[in-house]
Amino acid sequence: MVGVETAKPVLWELSPGDWEKWMHQMEEPSYRAQQVWQWLWHRGVASPQLMTDLPVSLRRKLEESFDHSEPTLLHMSESRDGTRKLLWLMPKGGQVETVWIPHSQRYTVCVSSQVGCSLNCRFCATGQLGLERQLTGYEIFLQVYAVKYRLGLPVTHVVFMGMGEPLLNYTSLIEAIEGLTTRLGMSARRLTVSTVGIPKGIRRLADRKEPFELAFSLHSAIPHKRQMLIPLAAHIPLEEIREALVTYCQKRMEWVTLEYVLLKGVNDGREDAQALRRFVAPPLRAKVNLIEYNPVPGLSFEPSPRMEAFREELLREGLIATIRRSRGADISAGCGQLARHIR
Ligand code: SAH
């Protein structure tokens, strides 16, 4: 059609089968498909010009046929603890942040699943941005690819805890998990999906076979308090989320993690610990991860000084509870601080 530019297929999205089909159409031997795959996913080379064991004519055809654009790094800041925060311009537009967190032998990439976020959780900086758009699956896993191959940093774990709510972008989440496992060769056990609690999405995850981990952002087991912190909670009864989590544990024979940001004077008292204990009763199998609050400018919440004491209370109640210390807070790279303000 005159005047209408049709978008080229995206190189990152092709499966091994798609590559074989394409090579066949181009009258190329099928082993070329594996060669491209090797370049892309094992060597981190995406520019056809650089795929030096392919004939020049094929490189040209690849270049003409596919879009292989990558996120552009706009800014990188490094924390005193080694954590790095990366600000990307995505190929399809929109800016998102990714955080790389080194911790002894563990190197975790925290990816964004949406540009902005629609949830508006009261204690989170990302919520103030609103939702700009969904990320595609490959835009999610390219964040990890870029950390690994463009910045040359090691990656052992990926958490879906950056900007956005992964279960409100379900198809892309699954595509990203697929990409990380089948293309980047990561074990799904090293991937953690974190959700505000979307029952339908949790049930869908329950039927998946990949052994990823699930974390649920509970923050309070007392419904009216949770609603005060998370506006969406007013529309989804906590009991319904709990039932979905139980289904998840039963179908997958797994535990879930309950994330709990400890806020001074808000959710760190005795009644809060007791409500948590009731929430965790069987058949739910859950461990609690207490998260240190990262202050957000303009918000009045404060980190609780009762971290250890609250944990002790939970342990006395028979719960399993761990503490997640804040990382990268000096560069606003901590949980809930991703708001694209450059520091
Ligand atoms: N939408 C997903 C992932 C987002 S963020 C979810 O809700 O789980 C990952 C975690 O960081 C969530 O548990 C979120 O509630 C928490 N978080 C948000 N703001 C925070 C802050 N300022 N300090 C510490 N944790 C925060």
mmCIF file of all heavy atoms in Angstrom, residues 110-111 113-114 117 119 121-126 160-167 193-197 215-219 226 230 259-263 291-296 299 324 326 334-338, ligand 1:
data_model
loop_
_atom_site.group_PDB
_atom_site.id
_atom_site.type_symbol
_atom_site.label_atom_id
_atom_site.label_comp_id
_atom_site.label_asym_id
_atom_site.label_seq_id
_atom_site.Cartn_x
_atom_site.Cartn_y
_atom_site.Cartn_z
ATOM 1 N N CYS A 110 15.881 -6.748 38.433
ATOM 2 C CA CYS A 110 14.486 -6.433 38.740
ATOM 3 C C CYS A 110 13.904 -5.732 37.514
ATOM 4 O O CYS A 110 14.341 -4.634 37.158
ATOM 5 C CB CYS A 110 14.461 -5.535 39.975
ATOM 6 S SG CYS A 110 12.831 -4.922 40.383
ATOM 7 N N VAL A 111 12.961 -6.392 36.835
ATOM 8 C CA VAL A 111 12.452 -5.844 35.572
ATOM 9 C C VAL A 111 11.102 -5.150 35.747
ATOM 10 O O VAL A 111 10.317 -5.489 36.624
ATOM 11 C CB VAL A 111 12.292 -6.933 34.470
ATOM 12 C CG1 VAL A 111 13.631 -7.487 34.043
ATOM 13 C CG2 VAL A 111 11.351 -8.053 34.906
ATOM 14 N N SER A 113 7.367 -4.396 34.184
ATOM 15 C CA SER A 113 6.446 -5.121 33.304
ATOM 16 C C SER A 113 5.467 -4.188 32.589
ATOM 17 O O SER A 113 4.757 -4.612 31.687
ATOM 18 C CB SER A 113 5.686 -6.187 34.092
ATOM 19 O OG SER A 113 5.115 -5.629 35.240
ATOM 20 N N GLN A 114 5.428 -2.928 33.003
ATOM 21 C CA GLN A 114 4.580 -1.943 32.326
ATOM 22 C C GLN A 114 5.329 -0.606 32.319
ATOM 23 O O GLN A 114 6.232 -0.404 33.130
ATOM 24 C CB GLN A 114 3.258 -1.750 33.091
ATOM 25 C CG GLN A 114 2.396 -3.014 33.156
ATOM 26 C CD GLN A 114 1.104 -2.803 33.937
ATOM 27 O OE1 GLN A 114 1.112 -2.250 35.034
ATOM 28 N NE2 GLN A 114 -0.009 -3.243 33.370
ATOM 29 N N CYS A 117 2.431 2.531 36.061
ATOM 30 C CA CYS A 117 1.627 1.539 36.781
ATOM 31 C C CYS A 117 0.249 2.135 37.063
ATOM 32 O O CYS A 117 0.130 3.331 37.317
ATOM 33 C CB CYS A 117 2.308 1.170 38.098
ATOM 34 S SG CYS A 117 1.484 -0.167 38.988
ATOM 35 N N LEU A 119 -1.804 1.058 39.534
ATOM 36 C CA LEU A 119 -2.337 0.678 40.847
ATOM 37 C C LEU A 119 -2.407 1.812 41.859
ATOM 38 O O LEU A 119 -3.275 1.822 42.719
ATOM 39 C CB LEU A 119 -1.493 -0.469 41.433
ATOM 40 C CG LEU A 119 -1.479 -1.755 40.604
ATOM 41 C CD1 LEU A 119 -0.536 -2.767 41.249
ATOM 42 C CD2 LEU A 119 -2.880 -2.333 40.490
ATOM 43 N N CYS A 121 -0.594 2.486 44.501
ATOM 44 C CA CYS A 121 -0.413 2.122 45.904
ATOM 45 C C CYS A 121 0.135 3.354 46.628
ATOM 46 O O CYS A 121 1.037 4.025 46.127
ATOM 47 C CB CYS A 121 0.545 0.940 46.041
ATOM 48 S SG CYS A 121 -0.079 -0.536 45.212
ATOM 49 N N ARG A 122 -0.429 3.638 47.776
ATOM 50 C CA ARG A 122 -0.174 4.920 48.446
ATOM 51 C C ARG A 122 1.279 5.160 48.852
ATOM 52 O O ARG A 122 1.697 6.295 49.041
ATOM 53 C CB ARG A 122 -1.056 5.029 49.693
ATOM 54 C CG ARG A 122 -2.530 5.053 49.388
ATOM 55 C CD ARG A 122 -2.882 6.274 48.536
ATOM 56 N NE ARG A 122 -4.309 6.312 48.254
ATOM 57 C CZ ARG A 122 -4.826 6.607 47.067
ATOM 58 N NH1 ARG A 122 -4.031 6.869 46.044
ATOM 59 N NH2 ARG A 122 -6.123 6.628 46.898
ATOM 60 N N PHE A 123 2.032 4.079 49.021
ATOM 61 C CA PHE A 123 3.399 4.197 49.552
ATOM 62 C C PHE A 123 4.457 4.096 48.452
ATOM 63 O O PHE A 123 5.649 4.092 48.728
ATOM 64 C CB PHE A 123 3.632 3.070 50.577
ATOM 65 C CG PHE A 123 3.201 1.728 50.056
ATOM 66 C CD1 PHE A 123 4.063 0.953 49.323
ATOM 67 C CD2 PHE A 123 1.897 1.273 50.274
ATOM 68 C CE1 PHE A 123 3.660 -0.263 48.796
ATOM 69 C CE2 PHE A 123 1.474 0.049 49.752
ATOM 70 C CZ PHE A 123 2.359 -0.713 49.005
ATOM 71 N N CYS A 124 4.019 3.986 47.203
ATOM 72 C CA CYS A 124 4.940 3.675 46.101
ATOM 73 C C CYS A 124 5.079 4.859 45.145
ATOM 74 O O CYS A 124 4.095 5.513 44.803
ATOM 75 C CB CYS A 124 4.409 2.455 45.355
ATOM 76 S SG CYS A 124 5.393 1.989 43.920
ATOM 77 N N ALA A 125 6.312 5.103 44.692
ATOM 78 C CA ALA A 125 6.544 6.229 43.788
ATOM 79 C C ALA A 125 6.040 5.946 42.379
ATOM 80 O O ALA A 125 5.547 6.830 41.689
ATOM 81 C CB ALA A 125 8.037 6.559 43.749
ATOM 82 N N THR A 126 6.148 4.676 41.951
ATOM 83 C CA THR A 126 5.740 4.344 40.579
ATOM 84 C C THR A 126 4.248 4.619 40.388
ATOM 85 O O THR A 126 3.817 5.066 39.323
ATOM 86 C CB THR A 126 6.024 2.862 40.258
ATOM 87 O OG1 THR A 126 7.360 2.555 40.636
ATOM 88 C CG2 THR A 126 5.846 2.587 38.780
ATOM 89 N N PHE A 160 10.153 -9.924 38.891
ATOM 90 C CA PHE A 160 9.215 -9.014 38.222
ATOM 91 C C PHE A 160 8.675 -8.067 39.292
ATOM 92 O O PHE A 160 7.536 -8.181 39.715
ATOM 93 C CB PHE A 160 8.094 -9.804 37.540
ATOM 94 C CG PHE A 160 8.574 -10.639 36.387
ATOM 95 C CD1 PHE A 160 9.166 -11.868 36.607
ATOM 96 C CD2 PHE A 160 8.437 -10.184 35.085
ATOM 97 C CE1 PHE A 160 9.622 -12.640 35.535
ATOM 98 C CE2 PHE A 160 8.882 -10.949 34.014
ATOM 99 C CZ PHE A 160 9.483 -12.172 34.243
ATOM 100 N N MET A 161 9.557 -7.172 39.746
ATOM 101 C CA MET A 161 9.203 -6.276 40.857
ATOM 102 C C MET A 161 9.526 -4.829 40.527
ATOM 103 O O MET A 161 9.636 -3.990 41.415
ATOM 104 C CB MET A 161 9.964 -6.677 42.128
ATOM 105 C CG MET A 161 9.588 -8.030 42.660
ATOM 106 S SD MET A 161 10.405 -8.341 44.228
ATOM 107 C CE MET A 161 9.948 -10.046 44.518
ATOM 108 N N GLY A 162 9.729 -4.531 39.251
ATOM 109 C CA GLY A 162 9.994 -3.145 38.877
ATOM 110 C C GLY A 162 8.677 -2.403 38.701
ATOM 111 O O GLY A 162 7.712 -2.664 39.416
ATOM 112 N N MET A 163 8.658 -1.502 37.744
ATOM 113 C CA MET A 163 7.422 -0.745 37.514
ATOM 114 C C MET A 163 6.337 -1.670 36.979
ATOM 115 O O MET A 163 6.587 -2.519 36.126
ATOM 116 C CB MET A 163 7.665 0.304 36.444
ATOM 117 C CG MET A 163 8.671 1.336 36.842
ATOM 118 S SD MET A 163 8.933 2.399 35.412
ATOM 119 C CE MET A 163 9.476 3.858 36.240
ATOM 120 N N GLY A 164 5.113 -1.446 37.446
ATOM 121 C CA GLY A 164 3.978 -2.137 36.838
ATOM 122 C C GLY A 164 3.504 -3.354 37.596
ATOM 123 O O GLY A 164 4.124 -3.805 38.556
ATOM 124 N N GLU A 165 2.360 -3.862 37.153
ATOM 125 C CA GLU A 165 1.766 -5.059 37.756
ATOM 126 C C GLU A 165 1.787 -6.178 36.714
ATOM 127 O O GLU A 165 1.020 -6.150 35.743
ATOM 128 C CB GLU A 165 0.329 -4.729 38.199
ATOM 129 C CG GLU A 165 -0.521 -5.916 38.562
ATOM 130 C CD GLU A 165 0.116 -6.891 39.572
ATOM 131 O OE1 GLU A 165 0.709 -6.441 40.569
ATOM 132 O OE2 GLU A 165 0.035 -8.121 39.325
ATOM 133 N N PRO A 166 2.659 -7.174 36.915
ATOM 134 C CA PRO A 166 2.805 -8.210 35.885
ATOM 135 C C PRO A 166 1.511 -8.948 35.546
ATOM 136 O O PRO A 166 1.287 -9.300 34.393
ATOM 137 C CB PRO A 166 3.853 -9.162 36.460
ATOM 138 C CG PRO A 166 4.153 -8.696 37.839
ATOM 139 C CD PRO A 166 3.620 -7.325 38.021
ATOM 140 N N LEU A 167 0.651 -9.150 36.547
ATOM 141 C CA LEU A 167 -0.566 -9.923 36.235
ATOM 142 C C LEU A 167 -1.627 -9.086 35.523
ATOM 143 O O LEU A 167 -2.653 -9.613 35.098
ATOM 144 C CB LEU A 167 -1.138 -10.576 37.494
ATOM 145 C CG LEU A 167 -0.277 -11.698 38.076
ATOM 146 C CD1 LEU A 167 -1.017 -12.427 39.196
ATOM 147 C CD2 LEU A 167 0.151 -12.690 37.010
ATOM 148 N N VAL A 193 7.725 -13.824 40.285
ATOM 149 C CA VAL A 193 6.677 -12.893 39.860
ATOM 150 C C VAL A 193 6.072 -12.294 41.121
ATOM 151 O O VAL A 193 5.703 -13.019 42.038
ATOM 152 C CB VAL A 193 5.582 -13.642 39.062
ATOM 153 C CG1 VAL A 193 4.462 -12.690 38.661
ATOM 154 C CG2 VAL A 193 6.181 -14.332 37.844
ATOM 155 N N SER A 194 5.981 -10.967 41.169
ATOM 156 C CA SER A 194 5.387 -10.317 42.333
ATOM 157 C C SER A 194 4.083 -9.651 41.909
ATOM 158 O O SER A 194 4.033 -8.931 40.921
ATOM 159 C CB SER A 194 6.359 -9.267 42.868
ATOM 160 O OG SER A 194 5.780 -8.552 43.937
ATOM 161 N N THR A 195 3.014 -9.916 42.668
ATOM 162 C CA THR A 195 1.715 -9.353 42.279
ATOM 163 C C THR A 195 1.003 -8.673 43.442
ATOM 164 O O THR A 195 1.155 -9.064 44.599
ATOM 165 C CB THR A 195 0.783 -10.448 41.706
ATOM 166 O OG1 THR A 195 -0.470 -9.837 41.366
ATOM 167 C CG2 THR A 195 0.532 -11.567 42.699
ATOM 168 N N VAL A 196 0.194 -7.698 43.099
ATOM 169 C CA VAL A 196 -0.633 -7.004 44.077
ATOM 170 C C VAL A 196 -1.801 -7.907 44.489
ATOM 171 O O VAL A 196 -2.473 -7.648 45.486
ATOM 172 C CB VAL A 196 -1.140 -5.666 43.480
ATOM 173 C CG1 VAL A 196 -2.197 -5.909 42.406
ATOM 174 C CG2 VAL A 196 -1.647 -4.725 44.546
ATOM 175 N N GLY A 197 -2.024 -8.974 43.688
ATOM 176 C CA GLY A 197 -3.094 -9.918 44.021
ATOM 177 C C GLY A 197 -4.263 -9.823 43.065
ATOM 178 O O GLY A 197 -5.285 -9.206 43.374
ATOM 179 N N ALA A 215 5.263 -14.210 44.526
ATOM 180 C CA ALA A 215 5.216 -13.372 45.730
ATOM 181 C C ALA A 215 3.950 -12.524 45.653
ATOM 182 O O ALA A 215 3.597 -12.009 44.592
ATOM 183 C CB ALA A 215 6.448 -12.479 45.798
ATOM 184 N N PHE A 216 3.281 -12.397 46.775
ATOM 185 C CA PHE A 216 2.057 -11.592 46.835
ATOM 186 C C PHE A 216 2.290 -10.424 47.781
ATOM 187 O O PHE A 216 2.705 -10.597 48.924
ATOM 188 C CB PHE A 216 0.890 -12.482 47.303
ATOM 189 C CG PHE A 216 -0.310 -11.719 47.797
ATOM 190 C CD1 PHE A 216 -0.884 -10.709 47.025
ATOM 191 C CD2 PHE A 216 -0.873 -12.003 49.043
ATOM 192 C CE1 PHE A 216 -1.979 -9.991 47.481
ATOM 193 C CE2 PHE A 216 -1.973 -11.296 49.511
ATOM 194 C CZ PHE A 216 -2.529 -10.290 48.735
ATOM 195 N N SER A 217 2.009 -9.215 47.302
ATOM 196 C CA SER A 217 2.207 -8.009 48.116
ATOM 197 C C SER A 217 1.012 -7.818 49.038
ATOM 198 O O SER A 217 0.025 -7.189 48.682
ATOM 199 C CB SER A 217 2.356 -6.788 47.205
ATOM 200 O OG SER A 217 3.504 -6.929 46.409
ATOM 201 N N LEU A 218 1.139 -8.381 50.220
ATOM 202 C CA LEU A 218 0.017 -8.335 51.173
ATOM 203 C C LEU A 218 -0.003 -6.994 51.922
ATOM 204 O O LEU A 218 -0.993 -6.274 51.899
ATOM 205 C CB LEU A 218 0.147 -9.518 52.144
ATOM 206 C CG LEU A 218 -0.877 -9.611 53.256
ATOM 207 C CD1 LEU A 218 -2.283 -9.755 52.709
ATOM 208 C CD2 LEU A 218 -0.562 -10.800 54.184
ATOM 209 N N HIS A 219 1.059 -6.695 52.613
ATOM 210 C CA HIS A 219 1.255 -5.433 53.333
ATOM 211 C C HIS A 219 0.330 -5.214 54.531
ATOM 212 O O HIS A 219 0.693 -4.495 55.455
ATOM 213 C CB HIS A 219 1.225 -4.225 52.408
ATOM 214 C CG HIS A 219 2.216 -4.319 51.281
ATOM 215 N ND1 HIS A 219 3.458 -4.893 51.435
ATOM 216 C CD2 HIS A 219 2.138 -3.945 49.987
ATOM 217 C CE1 HIS A 219 4.110 -4.857 50.279
ATOM 218 N NE2 HIS A 219 3.334 -4.304 49.381
ATOM 219 N N ARG A 226 -5.462 -2.651 54.473
ATOM 220 C CA ARG A 226 -4.903 -2.958 53.142
ATOM 221 C C ARG A 226 -5.521 -2.032 52.097
ATOM 222 O O ARG A 226 -4.833 -1.543 51.192
ATOM 223 C CB ARG A 226 -5.143 -4.436 52.805
ATOM 224 C CG ARG A 226 -4.413 -4.866 51.550
ATOM 225 C CD ARG A 226 -4.307 -6.365 51.380
ATOM 226 N NE ARG A 226 -3.382 -6.641 50.284
ATOM 227 C CZ ARG A 226 -3.748 -6.788 49.010
ATOM 228 N NH1 ARG A 226 -5.020 -6.740 48.676
ATOM 229 N NH2 ARG A 226 -2.842 -6.981 48.079
ATOM 230 N N ILE A 230 -3.600 0.170 49.452
ATOM 231 C CA ILE A 230 -3.689 -0.287 48.054
ATOM 232 C C ILE A 230 -5.113 -0.053 47.562
ATOM 233 O O ILE A 230 -6.019 -0.844 47.871
ATOM 234 C CB ILE A 230 -3.330 -1.801 47.965
ATOM 235 C CG1 ILE A 230 -1.941 -2.051 48.565
ATOM 236 C CG2 ILE A 230 -3.445 -2.321 46.540
ATOM 237 C CD1 ILE A 230 -1.578 -3.511 48.715
ATOM 238 N N GLU A 259 4.801 -10.575 50.673
ATOM 239 C CA GLU A 259 5.631 -9.388 50.871
ATOM 240 C C GLU A 259 4.899 -8.441 51.803
ATOM 241 O O GLU A 259 3.684 -8.226 51.672
ATOM 242 C CB GLU A 259 5.901 -8.707 49.520
ATOM 243 C CG GLU A 259 6.745 -9.556 48.600
ATOM 244 C CD GLU A 259 6.785 -8.985 47.207
ATOM 245 O OE1 GLU A 259 5.792 -9.171 46.465
ATOM 246 O OE2 GLU A 259 7.782 -8.332 46.862
ATOM 247 N N TYR A 260 5.659 -7.881 52.718
ATOM 248 C CA TYR A 260 5.044 -7.059 53.753
ATOM 249 C C TYR A 260 5.978 -5.885 54.052
ATOM 250 O O TYR A 260 6.985 -6.029 54.741
ATOM 251 C CB TYR A 260 4.827 -7.938 54.994
ATOM 252 C CG TYR A 260 3.845 -7.409 56.000
ATOM 253 C CD1 TYR A 260 2.528 -7.881 56.027
ATOM 254 C CD2 TYR A 260 4.231 -6.454 56.939
ATOM 255 C CE1 TYR A 260 1.626 -7.407 56.973
ATOM 256 C CE2 TYR A 260 3.327 -5.977 57.877
ATOM 257 C CZ TYR A 260 2.030 -6.460 57.892
ATOM 258 O OH TYR A 260 1.132 -5.999 58.822
ATOM 259 N N VAL A 261 5.648 -4.728 53.489
ATOM 260 C CA VAL A 261 6.458 -3.525 53.730
ATOM 261 C C VAL A 261 6.093 -3.015 55.115
ATOM 262 O O VAL A 261 4.928 -2.681 55.370
ATOM 263 C CB VAL A 261 6.126 -2.410 52.714
ATOM 264 C CG1 VAL A 261 6.930 -1.152 53.024
ATOM 265 C CG2 VAL A 261 6.422 -2.865 51.309
ATOM 266 N N LEU A 262 7.076 -2.976 56.002
ATOM 267 C CA LEU A 262 6.747 -2.602 57.377
ATOM 268 C C LEU A 262 6.772 -1.073 57.541
ATOM 269 O O LEU A 262 7.815 -0.435 57.406
ATOM 270 C CB LEU A 262 7.733 -3.276 58.338
ATOM 271 C CG LEU A 262 7.160 -3.555 59.718
ATOM 272 C CD1 LEU A 262 5.969 -4.502 59.655
ATOM 273 C CD2 LEU A 262 8.224 -4.140 60.637
ATOM 274 N N LEU A 263 5.586 -0.526 57.808
ATOM 275 C CA LEU A 263 5.423 0.932 57.888
ATOM 276 C C LEU A 263 5.169 1.336 59.327
ATOM 277 O O LEU A 263 4.282 0.769 59.995
ATOM 278 C CB LEU A 263 4.230 1.360 57.020
ATOM 279 C CG LEU A 263 4.324 0.979 55.530
ATOM 280 C CD1 LEU A 263 2.959 1.110 54.856
ATOM 281 C CD2 LEU A 263 5.352 1.870 54.832
ATOM 282 N N ILE A 291 9.687 -6.296 54.357
ATOM 283 C CA ILE A 291 10.472 -5.410 53.500
ATOM 284 C C ILE A 291 10.655 -4.062 54.196
ATOM 285 O O ILE A 291 9.696 -3.477 54.696
ATOM 286 C CB ILE A 291 9.760 -5.183 52.142
ATOM 287 C CG1 ILE A 291 9.449 -6.525 51.470
ATOM 288 C CG2 ILE A 291 10.576 -4.305 51.221
ATOM 289 C CD1 ILE A 291 8.638 -6.403 50.195
ATOM 290 N N GLU A 292 11.888 -3.630 54.186
ATOM 291 C CA GLU A 292 12.196 -2.323 54.750
ATOM 292 C C GLU A 292 11.615 -1.255 53.823
ATOM 293 O O GLU A 292 11.829 -1.320 52.607
ATOM 294 C CB GLU A 292 13.722 -2.195 54.773
ATOM 295 C CG GLU A 292 14.235 -1.323 55.838
ATOM 296 C CD GLU A 292 15.780 -1.418 55.908
ATOM 297 O OE1 GLU A 292 16.412 -2.140 55.108
ATOM 298 O OE2 GLU A 292 16.326 -0.770 56.760
ATOM 299 N N TYR A 293 10.915 -0.305 54.367
ATOM 300 C CA TYR A 293 10.290 0.720 53.527
ATOM 301 C C TYR A 293 11.337 1.698 52.988
ATOM 302 O O TYR A 293 12.178 2.199 53.728
ATOM 303 C CB TYR A 293 9.241 1.494 54.329
ATOM 304 C CG TYR A 293 8.580 2.581 53.523
ATOM 305 C CD1 TYR A 293 7.832 2.265 52.390
ATOM 306 C CD2 TYR A 293 8.717 3.926 53.861
ATOM 307 C CE1 TYR A 293 7.238 3.257 51.620
ATOM 308 C CE2 TYR A 293 8.120 4.921 53.093
ATOM 309 C CZ TYR A 293 7.383 4.577 51.978
ATOM 310 O OH TYR A 293 6.809 5.548 51.213
ATOM 311 N N ASN A 294 11.268 1.956 51.695
ATOM 312 C CA ASN A 294 12.127 2.967 51.085
ATOM 313 C C ASN A 294 11.342 4.264 50.980
ATOM 314 O O ASN A 294 10.350 4.314 50.250
ATOM 315 C CB ASN A 294 12.532 2.530 49.666
ATOM 316 C CG ASN A 294 13.362 1.259 49.693
ATOM 317 O OD1 ASN A 294 14.336 1.158 50.417
ATOM 318 N ND2 ASN A 294 12.951 0.276 48.917
ATOM 319 N N PRO A 295 11.756 5.280 51.680
ATOM 320 C CA PRO A 295 10.979 6.517 51.683
ATOM 321 C C PRO A 295 10.826 7.106 50.279
ATOM 322 O O PRO A 295 11.720 7.008 49.447
ATOM 323 C CB PRO A 295 11.802 7.446 52.571
ATOM 324 C CG PRO A 295 12.612 6.548 53.416
ATOM 325 C CD PRO A 295 12.919 5.345 52.569
ATOM 326 N N VAL A 296 9.669 7.667 50.029
ATOM 327 C CA VAL A 296 9.374 8.292 48.746
ATOM 328 C C VAL A 296 9.088 9.770 49.024
ATOM 329 O O VAL A 296 8.250 10.076 49.877
ATOM 330 C CB VAL A 296 8.133 7.623 48.088
ATOM 331 C CG1 VAL A 296 7.715 8.355 46.829
ATOM 332 C CG2 VAL A 296 8.402 6.155 47.806
ATOM 333 N N LEU A 299 5.690 11.608 50.337
ATOM 334 C CA LEU A 299 4.783 10.686 51.023
ATOM 335 C C LEU A 299 5.149 10.644 52.501
ATOM 336 O O LEU A 299 6.311 10.739 52.865
ATOM 337 C CB LEU A 299 4.872 9.278 50.424
ATOM 338 C CG LEU A 299 4.562 9.150 48.928
ATOM 339 C CD1 LEU A 299 4.580 7.679 48.510
ATOM 340 C CD2 LEU A 299 3.216 9.776 48.580
ATOM 341 N N ARG A 324 13.901 -8.430 54.292
ATOM 342 C CA ARG A 324 14.612 -7.979 53.091
ATOM 343 C C ARG A 324 15.067 -6.541 53.312
ATOM 344 O O ARG A 324 14.267 -5.631 53.425
ATOM 345 C CB ARG A 324 13.697 -8.024 51.860
ATOM 346 C CG ARG A 324 14.488 -7.767 50.563
ATOM 347 C CD ARG A 324 13.619 -7.209 49.460
ATOM 348 N NE ARG A 324 12.617 -8.137 49.006
ATOM 349 C CZ ARG A 324 11.574 -7.774 48.253
ATOM 350 N NH1 ARG A 324 11.389 -6.529 47.906
ATOM 351 N NH2 ARG A 324 10.692 -8.677 47.872
ATOM 352 N N SER A 326 16.779 -3.019 52.495
ATOM 353 C CA SER A 326 16.720 -2.156 51.321
ATOM 354 C C SER A 326 18.055 -2.144 50.580
ATOM 355 O O SER A 326 19.110 -2.154 51.190
ATOM 356 C CB SER A 326 16.392 -0.755 51.814
ATOM 357 O OG SER A 326 16.536 0.145 50.763
ATOM 358 N N GLY A 334 15.472 1.454 45.085
ATOM 359 C CA GLY A 334 14.813 0.464 45.926
ATOM 360 C C GLY A 334 13.391 0.204 45.457
ATOM 361 O O GLY A 334 12.837 0.942 44.642
ATOM 362 N N CYS A 335 12.796 -0.869 45.999
ATOM 363 C CA CYS A 335 11.397 -1.186 45.698
ATOM 364 C C CYS A 335 10.553 0.060 45.900
ATOM 365 O O CYS A 335 10.679 0.737 46.912
ATOM 366 C CB CYS A 335 10.856 -2.217 46.686
ATOM 367 S SG CYS A 335 11.486 -3.845 46.450
ATOM 368 N N GLY A 336 9.702 0.334 44.961
ATOM 369 C CA GLY A 336 8.761 1.438 45.120
ATOM 370 C C GLY A 336 9.354 2.808 44.924
ATOM 371 O O GLY A 336 8.701 3.818 45.134
ATOM 372 N N GLN A 337 10.625 2.864 44.501
ATOM 373 C CA GLN A 337 11.236 4.191 44.290
ATOM 374 C C GLN A 337 11.452 4.484 42.810
ATOM 375 O O GLN A 337 12.090 5.463 42.461
ATOM 376 C CB GLN A 337 12.580 4.281 45.013
ATOM 377 C CG GLN A 337 12.433 4.266 46.534
ATOM 378 C CD GLN A 337 13.767 4.460 47.216
ATOM 379 O OE1 GLN A 337 14.747 3.835 46.857
ATOM 380 N NE2 GLN A 337 13.806 5.329 48.206
ATOM 381 N N LEU A 338 10.949 3.608 41.954
ATOM 382 C CA LEU A 338 11.213 3.778 40.530
ATOM 383 C C LEU A 338 10.221 4.774 39.934
ATOM 384 O O LEU A 338 9.079 4.462 39.679
ATOM 385 C CB LEU A 338 11.125 2.429 39.806
ATOM 386 C CG LEU A 338 12.071 1.363 40.357
ATOM 387 C CD1 LEU A 338 11.965 0.078 39.547
ATOM 388 C CD2 LEU A 338 13.508 1.867 40.357
HETATM 389 N N1 SAH B 1 2.927 -4.675 41.182
HETATM 390 C C1 SAH B 1 3.736 -5.700 41.788
HETATM 391 C C2 SAH B 1 5.231 -5.418 41.706
HETATM 392 C C3 SAH B 1 5.624 -4.075 42.178
HETATM 393 S S1 SAH B 1 6.824 -3.591 43.289
HETATM 394 C C4 SAH B 1 3.326 -5.889 43.230
HETATM 395 O O1 SAH B 1 2.493 -5.125 43.707
HETATM 396 O O2 SAH B 1 3.793 -6.834 43.853
HETATM 397 C C5 SAH B 1 7.517 -4.826 44.216
HETATM 398 C C6 SAH B 1 7.279 -4.678 45.718
HETATM 399 O O3 SAH B 1 7.746 -3.432 46.252
HETATM 400 C C7 SAH B 1 5.804 -4.759 46.084
HETATM 401 O O4 SAH B 1 5.656 -5.607 47.183
HETATM 402 C C8 SAH B 1 5.507 -3.333 46.463
HETATM 403 O O5 SAH B 1 4.374 -3.238 47.257
HETATM 404 C C9 SAH B 1 6.789 -2.942 47.158
HETATM 405 N N2 SAH B 1 6.973 -1.506 47.354
HETATM 406 C C10 SAH B 1 6.340 -0.492 46.725
HETATM 407 N N3 SAH B 1 6.769 0.697 47.195
HETATM 408 C C11 SAH B 1 7.706 0.424 48.136
HETATM 409 C C12 SAH B 1 8.539 1.234 48.955
HETATM 410 N N4 SAH B 1 8.506 2.549 48.871
HETATM 411 N N5 SAH B 1 9.393 0.628 49.794
HETATM 412 C C13 SAH B 1 9.475 -0.733 49.838
HETATM 413 N N6 SAH B 1 8.721 -1.543 49.074
HETATM 414 C C14 SAH B 1 7.835 -0.979 48.236
#
